[in-house]
Amino acid sequence: MSDFTNNLIILVADRNTQFLMQGLLTRHQSFGIKDLSASLDQIFVHFQRDPGCYNQCSEFLRPFALDYNYALVIFDHEGSGQENKSREEIENELENKLSLSGWENRAKVIVLEPERESWVWSDSPHVEKILGWEERTPSLKTWLQTNGFLENDEIKPARPKEAVEEAMREVRKPRSSSVYQRIAEKVSFKNCTDASFIKLKETLQAWFSI
């Protein structure tokens, strides 16, 4: 495959995911891939959010197929209107549509299950600090357990978005998309087992290995 003008275009469902990806793309050394800083301003938000990404990603990205080497589509399973389908079914369906719209095998779809906040939660101290819980009593983990967001045997809350929002509200920290960017820039993902994140990592490594 010949190189096009740009490396990567990304379509996401909202600004929080946009900022999350901007943070992750600065971590090229952690991913073991080449520098993608030129792609930081090539992350576009669909105005119809998750349903828009599902219903219109191939139409949105078709005009860019001759300008970019690769494309990613990233949106939440919850709120997409396709909750009756599995994550894998949605991804396969849309990747086939993108292939038929000019991208051949150069586009991947990442469906976040249930939502982007599932990537936020880890046992890293950076999470507590960025969410405003540094040196607080009780700890963030204890507060999550006490308030029913986290079971004793769980690593991540079952309702990750609600847990993020309530944790920030508890400490009166203003909601901001920059929170997602800071977490993506700081938190180690070496031991992340989230299936959608693993797909993202393996995709970037396949496309942009050093």
Side-chain angles (χ1 to χ4, degrees), residues 17-200:
T17 308
Q18 180 186 39
F19 275 65
L20 180 69
M21 288 304 302
Q22 286 176 343
L24 287 174
L25 290 185
T26 66
R27 305 279 299 277
H28 60 278
Q29 292 178 328
S30 297
F31 280 113
I33 61 175
K34 67 181 183 179
D35 189 347
L36 291 177
S37 57
S39 298
L40 292 176
D41 60 354
Q42 305 301 305
I43 306 173
F44 299 93
V45 178
H46 198 288
F47 73 98
Q48 292 183 341
R49 299 175 67 85
D50 302 294
C53 286
Y54 172 78
N55 290 306
Q56 300 177 21
C57 65
S58 59
E59 289 80 2
F60 184 98
L61 291 170
R62 182 182 288 112
F64 302 102
L66 296 180
D67 295 320
Y68 290 83
N69 286 314
Y70 300 104
L72 278 173
V73 181
I74 305 174
F75 61 94
D76 292 347
H77 191 212
E78 187 169 301
S80 67
Q82 304 301 312
E83 291 85 355
N84 60 315
K85 300 177 183 177
S86 71
R87 174 181 63 84
E88 294 86 353
E89 286 176 323
I90 298 171
E91 291 173 348
N92 291 335
E93 174 190 347
L94 295 183
E95 286 169 4
N96 288 335
K97 286 185 177 180
L98 286 162
S99 288
L100 294 173
S101 68
W103 284 96
E104 299 169 342
N105 296 313
R106 299 181 292 118
K108 291 290 184 180
V109 178
I110 309 290
V111 177
L112 308 175
E113 192 172 37
E115 52 216 355
R116 93 188 69 78
E117 284 79 7
S118 62
W119 288 6
V120 168
W121 293 106
S122 80
D123 57 3
S124 168
H126 290 298
V127 174
E128 286 203 354
K129 182 177 181 179
I130 294 169
L131 294 182
W133 281 80
E134 188 177 33
E135 299 180 356
R136 285 183 61 89
T137 302
S139 67
L140 177 55
K141 182 176 181 179
T142 299
W143 182 86
L144 289 169
Q145 292 172 335
T146 301
N147 287 272
F149 291 109
L150 188 68
E151 298 296 330
N152 291 333
D153 59 344
E154 287 182 330
I155 298 175
K156 298 182 179 184
R159 307 190 310 279
K161 180 178 181 179
E162 185 179 346
V164 169
E165 293 177 348
E166 288 300 322
M168 292 175 65
R169 185 177 294 116
E170 178 71 13
V171 296
R172 296 181 172 83
K173 185 176 181 64
R175 292 171 60 182
S176 170
S177 295
S178 65
V179 166
Y180 295 89
Q181 183 171 359
R182 291 177 61 204
I183 287 176
E185 291 171 344
K186 295 290 186 180
V187 175
S188 172
F189 48 75
K190 181 178 179 181
N191 298 319
C192 181
T193 59
D194 183 272
S196 60
F197 186 84
I198 291 173
K199 180 177 181 179
L200 172 68

